[in-house]
Amino acid sequence: MTYHGTNTYLIDSDEGFIVLDPGPEDAGHLDDIIAATGGKVCAILLSHTHSDHLGATSSLKARTGAPTFAFHRVADPSFEPDVLVHDRDMVAGMLAIHTPGHASDHLCFAARDGIVFSADHVMSWSSSIVSPPDGNMAAYCASLRLMLSRKDSLYLPGHGPPLPDPAPYVADLLNRRVEREEAIFEALRSGSSNAWDLMDRLYSKTDPWLRRAAERNVIAHLEKLHAEGRVAQAGEIWSVQR
């Protein structure tokens, strides 16, 4: 689910290193951060509070004393950042952009040189899972449109390799979500169904984990359609709104 693992970014500054997304709670990963920075960490930034990004944060703070920065309404109630970040705040010389959808507290960080740390909002190797209740498909699509309105040159994602010239890829991500949503709606026009059966009909996934992730995406689409008044829900069964 995380490709080759979580990307932790070390950003050099006059005060020391800014660590963006410390990664999972893994001793070896944490030791690598300390070795690469010499322990000179001045700030810890969180793109969002999913465990594969947040997990090592408390241990890194304990070893370096660096303050933590995260969105002011964190999705994980067990975590309290030292500095609360709001949409459009400047953080470590970068613009914080609230991009909910994958997670309600998701932030991208845009540098002045056209580079954006896009975290899990846009990744070059896979589309993001949108899993309710914290994940929201309407918010995700709106966040994609927000990023399309910018003129950035390079995305550095939370998983997978860099993404140069991101706009065409982001536009394709959005188009595929719209097409998937219409396919779900058309499938319901032929009869009521539950999310798992819709996933089974519309996705070609065979790996059990990926099938569960695909089901969560289907549910997110259904909830968006429901909010728009296009489908109705009765327990786990969904149907076209009459």
Side-chain angles (χ1 to χ4, degrees):
M1 294 294 291
T2 62
Y3 197 47
H4 296 301
T6 302
N7 294 335
T8 294
Y9 293 98
L10 310 178
I11 306 165
D12 202 2
S13 76
D14 293 339
E15 292 77 29
F17 284 94
I18 300 154
V19 176
L20 174 56
D21 286 342
E25 189 174 0
D26 178 271
H29 189 81
L30 180 61
D31 287 343
D32 286 343
I33 295 173
I34 297 298
T37 61
K40 297 176 181 178
V41 177
C42 62
I44 303 169
L45 275 56
L46 273 297
S47 64
H48 61 299
T49 54
H50 286 172
S51 61
D52 55 321
H53 297 256
L54 173 67
T57 300
S58 61
S59 296
L60 181 61
K61 179 181 177 179
R63 291 179 67 171
T64 64
T68 57
F69 294 69
F71 189 62
H72 65 100
R73 292 193 302 270
V74 292
D76 185 339
S78 68
F79 174 64
E80 295 184 10
D82 298 310
V83 181
L84 304 179
V85 179
H86 293 74
D87 184 37
R88 318 306 291 183
D89 279 355
M90 293 301 297
V91 181
M94 298 182 290
L95 178 68
I97 307 171
H98 185 215
T99 46
H102 172 70
S104 62
D105 59 357
H106 194 285
L107 293 167
C108 293
F109 293 95
R112 293 187 177 91
D113 54 5
I115 295 175
V116 172
F117 295 93
S118 59
D120 287 9
H121 181 50
V122 176
M123 301 178 292
S124 58
W125 72 283
S126 174
S127 59
S128 298
I129 183 173
V130 179
S131 181
D134 190 58
N136 183 286
M137 188 60 71
Y140 177 73
C141 292
S143 294
L144 288 178
R145 293 187 179 97
L146 172 64
M147 297 308 290
L148 272 174
S149 71
R150 296 176 49 84
K151 305 298 182 183
D152 300 305
S153 58
L154 177 70
Y155 283 4
L156 298 176
H159 308 275
L163 176 63
D165 187 23
Y169 183 84
V170 175
D172 184 60
L173 279 180
L174 180 58
N175 289 336
R176 279 188 281 159
R177 293 290 185 171
V178 172
E179 290 171 358
R180 180 71 70 186
E181 189 166 287
E182 288 307 310
I184 291 170
F185 183 76
E186 289 301 316
L188 287 177
R189 286 169 67 92
S190 64
S192 301
S193 184
N194 62 38
W196 182 263
D197 288 342
L198 286 167
M199 178 278 300
D200 207 34
R201 292 166 61 183
L202 297 174
Y203 286 78
S204 58
K205 310 292 187 186
T206 57
D207 181 274
W209 284 104
L210 295 180
R211 283 170 62 80
R212 284 295 179 188
E215 182 195 23
R216 300 307 300 171
N217 280 331
V218 169
I219 292 171
H221 278 296
L222 290 168
E223 290 190 353
K224 179 175 178 290
L225 289 166
H226 184 261
E228 295 168 351
R230 298 180 66 191
V231 304
Q233 180 183 14
E236 295 185 356
I237 301 301
W238 300 82
S239 59
V240 171
Q241 183 72 53
R242 304 300 181 184

